[in-house]
Structure formats: structure tokens, C-alpha cells
Amino acid sequence: MDELPSPRLVDAVWRYRTSSLIIVGVAVLLSVLVALIVGEPSRMQARLALKTPDKAGVLGVESGETAFARYANQRALFVTSDKVIAGAMEKLGGSVTQETLRDAVTAEASDTGESLVLQVAAGSPEEASRIMRAVIESYREASRAEVAQRVKALLDTLAEQRKSIEERLADTPEGTRRSANTEAAAQSLSELDKRATELKVAASQIGDGVAFVYDTEPDRTALLRAVARDGVIGFGVGGVIAVAVAWFRADRDRRVGNLAELEALVDEPVLGEIEHVSRDEAAALLWLGAPPSKTYRMVAFGVQQVIDEGVLIVTGESGSGVTTTTIQLASALARSGLNVLLVDGAVRTHGLSTSIGLAAKQPYGNEDDHRKHPGLTDIAMGNVRPQNTMRVVELGDGVTLTVIPAGAYVDGVLERFSVPLLDRAIGEMRAQFDIVLIDAPTPASAPEAGALVRASDAVIVVVRRDADAAGLRRLIEQIRIVGGKVAGYVLTFATRNR
């Protein structure tokens, strides 16, 4: 008997879909709670459009796009300089520390290099807006002061040049040379005055170097986005954990998922698979008068290949469809021309007897019911011979089927069972019929079934899809321990082919 292959992830998750959904749900919930508790800083962005460089050189920028882009990067660095940060802190009244401002404020040149992009992250939208205003005001004041200082330095230089020219002119002696120097000095002084005027005009036009400010509203959806982001992260993490847990559980609890897996697990042949049907269709399969389904006819053909005569036990775990399989096989074999005896060996539950209307409705001891519904319990206790319990059922078209019901059952009846009587009765059944099909519980669930298994010629094990592989191994071992021989398997509740 081989091991089943490792379970597929999809099958594992589907099997444990409820617990997997719970794991994912808990992970998402925890992630959302963390986002709500920790919070998300509110962010605000503003753009400062820079003025075009002046020809007077007040900004100290050479002409050309490259030079101006370099200037924009320098101004972005200036936004977070000590001077601007200190000014912003002062405007905020000292309520925010310098370190906090440095962490909260970022600036960079735009892709085109024509503006500065400022971003502020704070604990609330209002705080972000307040910091942004303080930083912009501080930057503009510092820039204006910087321009004014640069213009003053340039005007001071021009004033010194003017003074130097006037002093040289005063030291020149009277005459032709003085007249020439006077004309040259006048021209130079005129140019200096013109230059000074240009600087003053340029300084007035440039001001703080900012053409305009595009100030956006604070991002008030930051928390919602944080919740959504953390929720997605939680979903991903929870999904990974759920898949891992589901696969680990499925690997520890391997199950028979399809025909190929059953064939890989067992040594004996798999006689066929029965597709899962609706409740109404399943109820119709329990009616002996209905023709057996195509799949059960194929299984019956497979049964005939492994055992063409004798006593055949059909068993399996509760809920696997043992009774339905037994009835359908009996009907199919009878319609194929065999003389078939159908026996209800489940004396505790008598499901087969109930399905065909031969169940004892009163406990054992009621004489009327005993005479009306004698069965396997009466045979095992020596009260009747097998022939006295048999009922012939018409299947139609002249086909008949003989049935022995389970008989009446109460606590204490099994202690009066006689194994030798059962063995002798089964021998009589074997001699009288081509095939004897006995619907029996597993030896572990009903110890009296062990006597039936031991007296049989072969055992057909009905395996439900998703049956526990370890449980199937235990059932096979139980059958072998009591002296039974497994002839084959039938897989029930198989997935329908689309």
C-alpha cells in the first residue's frame, strides 16, 4: 500500500475553507486595528513657482536651462536649511521642535525645474496646513532678505567704483587731459548709475524669487488609505498563513480525493467510481424496482471480474453509501441473469431493510412482528432457517431478487448470536445462490460483522471521496485481522465530470 501524494494547495484550502477564511479575516481585522491605533500622518503638498532669472544677475543665475535647474535644486535645499526651519519654528511659536520640522518637511525641484515641490507630514490635516504656511512664509522672507542682501552688496560695489572714478577725476590736472578724462568718467558714471537702476528694478521685480504658490488642501483621506493599505497587507499575510496552515493540516490528514489517488493508495483493484448525485437522485437509487444506473452496472461488471460466485460483503464507513451500493449491485447482477441473494447484515441500523420496506418495526420479542419480519438476527439465534426469512422481490421484466432482512434488534440480542449457526447459514446461502451480497457495517463499528466477514469469500470496500486515508488503512487491516479478503474498492461521491 503506497502513500498518497502531498496535497495540492488548492485542495487543501478548499477542504479547510472555513478555518482559512477565519485566519484571513482575523489577519485583516488586526491589520485594520493597527492602522486605526497607530494612525497615519496627514500629508500636504504645495508648489512654489520660481521667477525667471533676471538679466541683471540679482539671483546670480547664468542664462540657460541647465543653470536654472541647478538654481532650482539649490532653492529646494534652502527650504530645509537652518535659517528657514528656524524662521518657521519661530512663526509656530515654538510649539514644534526643529528636529520635528526637519522630519516633517521635504522639498525638491519639479521635473521641469520651474518650481519647488514642498511636502509636509503631520499628525492632523490642520497641523500639516499650519506647518506648511509657516515654512512657506519663512522661506519667502529668507529669500527676500537674501535677494536684498545680494542687491546691497552689488550696489555697494557700484558705489565704491563710482567713488574711485570721482577721486581719480579730482586728481587730474586742468587741461586737455582733464577734459578727456572728464568725458570718460561721465560715461563710466552714467553706466554705473544705469547698472544701479537695473539692480534696484530687478530686485523690486524678483522680491523673494517666488512667482506664485499653488497650495493644495491637506490629504484628509490618509487614514482611510492607511486602513485600506494595511487591510490589503493583512489579507496577503493572512492568505499566506491560511494556505500554509491548510496545507500542513491536509498533509497530516491526507484524504482520498479522486480515483487516481485511491488506486495509488491500495493494492487491490478499484472497481469503479460513483458520481455525487442530488438527494432526490440518491433516494431513487434505493428503490429496487428502478433499473440500476450506468455507473453501478459498470461496477457490477467489475465485481464479476474479481468474483463470479460466492458470498460478497459490501462494507465501508458510515455515510459512504454502502447500502445504496449494495442495492444497486444486487439489482445489476440480478438483471445480468445471476441468482442473487441480498442480505441486510447491519442488524443494529437495518438501513437496507428499511429502504425496501422489510424492517422489523417492533423490538425482538413481539411474536406478531417476529413472524412477519424474521431476519438475520433470528437465523443467528437459531430461531429459524435461512429459507424461512427469505423474501422474493420482483424487479420487473421477470427478474427477481431474494432478500433476507436484518430482523428485530434490542440490546442483548447480539450476546445470543451463534457464530457456528451463522457460518452454517452462510454456507447454505452460498450453495443456493450464485452471488450473496451482504450489506455489513465495519468490524470496528459492529463486532458482530466480523463473523460475516470471516465467513465471506470476498469484501468490497466502499470509499467516500475525501475519506481519511489513515482510516481506510485501519479498515483494511481490521478486515484482514478478522480473516476477510478485500477483492476491490468502489469510490463514491466522486466529483461530476463537466
Side-chain angles (χ1 to χ4, degrees), residues 220-466:
R220 300 180 183 276
T221 63
L223 182 59
L224 292 177
R225 288 191 289 104
V227 169
R229 179 199 63 209
D230 288 5
V232 171
I233 294 174
F235 180 82
V237 173
V240 172
I241 295 174
V243 169
V245 171
W247 186 90
F248 179 76
R249 292 178 64 187
D251 189 56
R252 294 287 300 273
D253 181 23
R254 297 193 181 185
R255 296 182 176 272
V256 180
N258 51 52
L259 184 66
E261 291 182 359
L262 180 58
E263 290 175 337
L265 183 63
V266 299
D267 298 326
E268 297 79 12
V270 177
L271 305 176
E273 63 176 341
I274 309 300
E275 293 182 348
H276 179 65
V277 296
S278 67
R279 185 182 297 272
D280 292 339
E281 291 174 314
L285 293 176
L286 292 172
W287 181 42
L288 276 174
S293 67
K294 178 180 178 181
T295 51
Y296 277 111
R297 292 200 303 270
M298 295 176 63
V299 172
F301 178 78
V303 170
Q304 290 181 282
Q305 302 307 305
V306 297
I307 178 172
D308 55 357
E309 62 180 11
V311 178
L312 188 62
I313 298 290
V314 182
T315 188
E317 297 294 343
S318 176
S320 58
V322 173
T323 297
T324 302
T325 300
T326 308
I327 290 175
Q328 286 287 302
L329 287 179
S331 176
L333 292 172
R335 293 172 188 275
S336 68
L338 296 178
N339 187 14
V340 179
L341 173 63
L342 179 60
V343 180
D344 187 357
V347 296
R348 298 171 186 257
T349 58
H350 45 75
L352 188 149
S353 302
T354 302
S355 298
I356 60 179
L358 294 177
K361 298 179 176 58
Q362 299 294 331
Y364 179 78
N366 184 300
E367 290 298 325
D368 292 337
D369 190 68
H370 165 64
R371 292 192 184 96
K372 185 177 181 180
H373 297 288
L376 190 63
T377 53
D378 300 281
I379 295 172
M381 288 168 33
N383 294 331
V384 293
R385 298 290 300 275
Q387 290 81 356
N388 302 121
T389 64
M390 296 179 183
R391 301 287 184 273
V392 177
V393 179
E394 294 285 343
L395 301 182
D397 297 328
V399 180
T400 61
L401 180 68
T402 305
V403 180
I404 294 180
Y409 170 80
V410 291
D411 292 339
V413 168
L414 298 181
E415 284 75 4
R416 298 162 60 189
F417 261 42
S418 171
V419 174
L421 287 176
L422 270 179
D423 289 343
R424 186 173 65 186
I426 289 176
E428 294 178 8
M429 299 174 194
R430 181 185 290 110
Q432 188 176 351
F433 294 90
D434 297 328
I435 288 285
V436 179
L437 283 174
I438 302 178
D439 175 11
T442 62
S445 62
E448 68 275 8
L452 298 173
V453 171
R454 183 170 56 254
S456 68
D457 298 302
V459 177
I460 299 295
V461 179
V462 179
V463 182
R464 179 172 181 149
R465 181 177 61 87
D466 287 337

Side-chain angles (χ1 to χ4, degrees), residues 163-175:
K163 182 179 179 182
S164 176
I165 292 173
E166 290 176 346
E167 289 177 350
R168 287 200 303 272
L169 183 61
D171 293 339
T172 304
E174 295 292 337

Side-chain angles (χ1 to χ4, degrees), residues 109-294:
S110 65
D111 295 337
T112 60
E114 297 177 350
S115 61
L116 303 180
V117 180
L118 276 64
Q119 289 188 342
V120 172
S124 67
E126 293 74 17
E127 183 68 8
S129 179
R130 197 164 69 95
I131 292 175
M132 179 65 81
R133 287 196 301 269
V135 169
I136 291 176
E137 289 176 7
S138 178
Y139 169 79
R140 300 187 73 165
E141 289 178 1
S143 297
R144 192 178 296 109
E146 191 180 51
V147 171
Q149 184 179 358
R150 182 175 179 79
V151 170
K152 182 179 180 302
L154 292 173
L155 290 175
D156 289 344
T157 301
L158 293 177
E160 290 179 1
Q161 293 177 356
R162 182 181 184 86
K163 182 179 179 182
S164 176
I165 292 173
E166 290 176 346
E167 289 177 350
R168 287 200 303 272
L169 183 61
D171 293 339
T172 304
E174 295 292 337
T176 306
R177 183 179 177 184
R178 179 181 178 86
S179 177
N181 287 343
T182 299
E183 291 181 6
Q187 185 177 355
S188 297
L189 291 174
S190 176
E191 291 177 356
L192 290 176
D193 291 339
K194 182 180 178 181
R195 173 63 175 162
T197 301
E198 290 177 350
L199 288 174
K200 292 176 182 180
V201 172
S204 175
Q205 292 176 343
I206 291 173
D208 54 18
V210 177
F212 61 89
V213 176
Y214 177 69
D215 195 2
T216 59
E217 286 292 320
D219 185 0
R220 300 180 183 276
T221 63
L223 182 59
L224 292 177
R225 288 191 289 104
V227 169
R229 179 199 63 209
D230 288 5
V232 171
I233 294 174
F235 180 82
V237 173
V240 172
I241 295 174
V243 169
V245 171
W247 186 90
F248 179 76
R249 292 178 64 187
D251 189 56
R252 294 287 300 273
D253 181 23
R254 297 193 181 185
R255 296 182 176 272
V256 180
N258 51 52
L259 184 66
E261 291 182 359
L262 180 58
E263 290 175 337
L265 183 63
V266 299
D267 298 326
E268 297 79 12
V270 177
L271 305 176
E273 63 176 341
I274 309 300
E275 293 182 348
H276 179 65
V277 296
S278 67
R279 185 182 297 272
D280 292 339
E281 291 174 314
L285 293 176
L286 292 172
W287 181 42
L288 276 174
S293 67
K294 178 180 178 181

Side-chain angles (χ1 to χ4, degrees), residues 93-110:
S95 60
V96 182
T97 64
Q98 189 169 347
E99 291 75 15
T100 302
L101 280 177
R102 285 193 183 281
D103 294 336
V105 180
T106 59
E108 61 180 1
S110 65

